[in-house]
Amino acid sequence: MLALCYDKKITLRSDYPAPVPEAGEVLLAVRVAGVCKTDLEIVKGYMGFTGVMGHECVATVAHGPASWLGKRVAVEINCPCGRCGLCRRGLGNHCPTRGVLGIDKRDGVFAELVAVPAANLHAIPDSVSDDAAVFVEPLAAAMQIFEQVPVEAFARCIILGDGRLGQLTARAFKSRGLDALLVGKHESKLALARGADVRTVLLHEFSPAADADVVVDATGSPAGFDLAMRTVRPRGVIVLKSTFAAEGGMNLAPLVINEVTVVGSRCGPFDKAIAALADGSVQVTDLISARLPLTRANEALDLAARPDMMKVLIDIH
């Protein structure tokens, strides 16, 4: 089958072996996949991953239980063991032996077919298009913030980063009636956010005043965390959404001095993300900048790395 792979270099292979589902797994025919900032970090060495790239997708169940066969689905990316102490406590996303689609130990979705646990499937309503459904995983990641932090209890919320995740986070905040300020480097990207009724400011016009109750770092860079520390108030909360391949340390003394709470935040509730897309409370398709077929997936990654691009989609089937 055709698949975009990474093994110290990016290779589009037409001879990649088709997956064979194991017990409890289904075989998916991928319809549309999305390129994520994490995919771009993979090629810089993040997680030391090798295999088929990609983890955001909407797909059709090609082989599996009759109750799922032929259905359109979104797919949770973590594949836990289901037996360890964390799994038994309902924390399978943190299972120490889990695989993660296209990120750690599991082939991803930049391919014609992918095998995943049936337990990871979420049905997509007919009212949600493929182009919207491909945003389920990153939108769920944005909504995870509400599972971890009582954001509604705070008055001043600031989101750093006008990229894909920052945009979705700002829109998720807006859907909850929260007035968050989005800080970014790119006027064209901030204009998209304003079109979704989100308040914005350019980074060079933003003056951190150590007065924000909650700061979400979705910049994808170490510099973003430094800015977050200068933006949050004493005893405030920083939500760290960035994942990146980086070396070297940073000065964490301000966290101690100001008694700041730092919350790492990753994957989130797919059911709530799907509901928000279905009821229209979060709009996402205006964030699509480009789409390319799987035969040009290499180019899709190059496009996604450009600062003027938002979401780049890869059409599979």
Side-chain angles (χ1 to χ4, degrees), residues 8 14 19-20 74 92 94 109 122 149 164 171 220-221 239 266 273 295-296 306:
K8 298 183 180 178
S14 60
V20 178
H94 299 284
V109 301
H122 292 262
V149 180
R164 294 166 280 267
R171 293 170 189 226
S221 79
V239 181
R266 193 168 57 98
T295 53
R296 298 172 61 191
R306 283 174 30 181

Side-chain angles (χ1 to χ4, degrees), residues 11 14-15 45 70 83 92 113 134 156 166 172 227 244 256 260 283 298:
T11 306
S14 60
D15 62 345
R83 301 179 300 276
L113 299 168
V134 79
R156 183 161 166 74
L227 178 59
F244 45 81
V256 179
V260 172
Q283 299 290 329
N298 310 58

